[in-house]
Amino acid sequence: MFRIHAAELLVVRLPLKFRFETSFGVQTEKVVPLLVLHGDGVQGLSEGTMEFAPMYREETIAGALHLLREVYLPRILGRTFANPEALDDALGSFRGNRMARAMVEMAAWDLWARMLGVPLGTLLGGRKDSVEVGVSLGIQPSEDATVEVVRRHVEQGYRRIKLKIRPGWDVQPVRAVRAAFPDIRLTVDANSAYTLADTGRLRALDDFDLTYIEQPLAWDDLVDHAALQGRLRTPLCLDESVASAQDARKGLALDAGRVINVKVARVGGHAEARRVHDIARAFGAPVWCGGMLESGVGRAHNIHLSTLPNFTLPGDTSSASRYWETDVVNEPLEAQDGVMPVPTGPGIGVTLNRDFVERIAEVQEEFHP
């Protein structure tokens, strides 16, 4: 059992080391909400992955901060819980807003694991002390630039290369990369930029031996994905469309996709992420852990989740130094030859870089029962 005595909410703005372009637009910085739950002499950490505007899913940073302040935190502070899944008694009646709810649930998992003195991955049922990782590469200004950025990351040993695509920038860069690197594990991610009217263009990607095409169609549509999957040889990977284990079951039953990208915050936390993992495993569908440009807090959570046995494809948890000059955690999270060590120690295995975070924090609030 664990008791939540107090909470802190911090928001920092981190400049990215590179320009990251997707079908949503261009990103040069990341606003990172952080939650700290205080227990008996230990702290649990989590990170919000929602954006300032509802582009990836429907949640926003402003909405999440309001829910945390006014709805979620008042219902857990000063209470004792048997385990993190018991938070459902306090939060289970509220609809949607899974990313905001995940901040509470994930911090509770970290708090509980630290109190027990065991790594988070162990509590979740993980079996690995390291995980294979890939890299997600934004849209580049030319085919030559795309090939060059792929070359740099192949030389660094990443086990999968993912290219962001959009209508009008899809077949050309993929053809160029596959010609230059005939043997790499290659995927593409459309972030819902296409419709069934683009089936012909998406079918052209069948020629390039892709491991999967990620979320080509609407974020809330499984039926059209099923229609598209029936017309392609390449497996589809569901991302935005899977917000719960039930979504995963329906998507796999419909053959709307044959791979699932598990983002722990998108589905509401570790407990639901594990259920998604289990359902996919029952269908014989591999899963992998997607990224949302997380800082070291969210990255550590993702690494621990990826130790579960059905995470058989490389995830997006590449080296933190790719993204930030200074991270919000003290411990370096760095891959070597495409393999990321699981942070050792209790909980998620990283500690908050307090001096740095408090110096740059745009929001810093404390909450008590």
Side-chain angles (χ1 to χ4, degrees):
M1 302 182 74
F2 63 95
R3 184 174 180 84
I4 301 174
H5 296 289
E8 295 176 77
L9 190 58
L10 304 107
V11 179
V12 300
R13 188 182 302 266
L14 300 177
L16 282 163
K17 292 173 71 173
F18 54 85
R19 179 181 183 274
F20 189 62
E21 182 173 352
T22 72
S23 61
F24 293 134
V26 177
Q27 194 165 356
T28 58
E29 64 179 11
K30 183 72 188 293
V31 178
V32 181
L34 297 168
L35 178 65
V36 185
L37 295 183
H38 293 260
D40 292 320
V42 296
Q43 300 176 1
L45 308 175
S46 69
E47 174 177 340
T49 61
M50 64 291 295
E51 301 285 351
F52 74 95
M55 293 182 292
Y56 172 76
R57 288 281 306 191
E58 70 280 9
E59 294 184 65
T60 65
I61 292 173
L65 295 180
H66 170 76
L67 284 173
L68 288 164
R69 292 171 178 135
E70 305 296 332
V71 181
Y72 294 159
L73 292 179
R75 283 164 173 78
I76 66 166
L77 291 174
R79 291 186 56 180
T80 299
F81 298 92
N83 53 53
E85 291 180 274
L87 267 70
D88 277 347
D89 295 338
L91 306 179
S93 62
F94 301 112
R95 296 181 179 180
N97 298 285
R98 293 176 182 271
M99 292 180 177
R101 178 173 166 177
M103 289 184 68
V104 178
E105 195 255 21
M106 293 167 72
W109 274 101
D110 185 34
L111 179 65
W112 192 42
R114 291 180 196 262
M115 291 184 71
L116 295 175
V118 298
L120 174 59
T122 300
L123 284 185
L124 294 174
R127 304 178 182 177
K128 309 168 189 172
D129 57 15
S130 64
V131 296
E132 285 192 314
V133 296
V135 67
S136 178
L137 302 177
I139 293 170
Q140 304 298 313
S142 67
E143 293 175 35
D144 288 345
T146 303
V147 170
E148 180 54 33
V149 73
V150 169
R151 186 183 310 281
R152 292 203 305 270
H153 289 88
V154 168
E155 290 173 351
Q156 292 169 25
Y158 283 105
R159 304 296 176 93
R160 179 223 64 199
I161 299 295
K162 179 169 77 174
L163 302 178
K164 295 288 188 176
I165 61 171
R166 65 185 176 204
W169 184 255
D170 37 42
V171 175
Q172 314 96 299
V174 175
R175 178 187 290 118
V177 169
R178 181 51 86 198
F181 305 97
D183 299 322
I184 63 169
R185 181 179 280 161
L186 183 63
T187 72
V188 296
D189 182 9
N191 290 116
S192 304
Y194 295 81
T195 71
L196 284 179
D198 300 302
T199 297
R201 195 140 190 98
L202 293 168
R203 287 182 69 180
L205 296 173
D206 275 340
D207 293 337
F208 303 115
D209 190 27
L210 301 178
T211 305
Y212 51 78
I213 299 170
E214 187 177 351
Q215 195 70 35
L217 307 180
W219 66 277
D220 57 352
D221 194 325
L222 292 174
V223 174
D224 280 359
H225 276 96
L228 179 62
Q229 181 66 91
R231 300 170 190 174
L232 300 180
R233 298 192 308 272
T234 306
L236 297 183
C237 172
L238 297 176
D239 177 0
E240 289 96 317
S241 294
V242 175
S244 68
Q246 289 301 317
D247 288 343
R249 178 187 62 79
K250 292 171 185 177
L252 293 170
L254 289 169
D255 196 28
R258 297 168 185 171
V259 179
I260 292 181
N261 170 352
V262 181
K263 290 179 178 169
V264 58
R266 188 191 70 231
V267 302
H270 283 296
E272 191 71 5
R274 187 168 56 185
R275 286 189 280 270
V276 172
H277 164 277
D278 293 347
I279 284 175
R281 193 180 189 189
F283 274 88
V287 302
W288 57 277
C289 188
M292 294 286 287
L293 301 179
E294 286 95 342
S295 75
V297 172
R299 194 170 303 274
H301 274 280
N302 290 345
I303 294 167
H304 279 276
L305 178 67
S306 299
T307 63
L308 271 65
N310 197 39
F311 283 87
T312 56
L313 297 175
D316 280 343
T317 48
S318 53
S319 296
S321 61
R322 288 190 63 241
Y323 301 93
W324 324 115
E325 291 290 349
T326 305
D327 202 350
V328 302
V329 298
N330 293 303
E331 296 77 9
L333 298 174
E334 298 297 306
Q336 294 292 328
D337 194 27
V339 175
M340 176 70 74
V342 178
T344 58
I348 59 174
V350 298
T351 56
L352 202 61
N353 184 343
R354 279 275 178 184
D355 290 343
F356 174 65
V357 169
E358 293 181 2
R359 187 169 69 250
I360 67 170
E362 299 180 358
V363 173
Q364 187 173 359
E365 302 172 7
E366 293 185 5
F367 302 86
H368 300 273

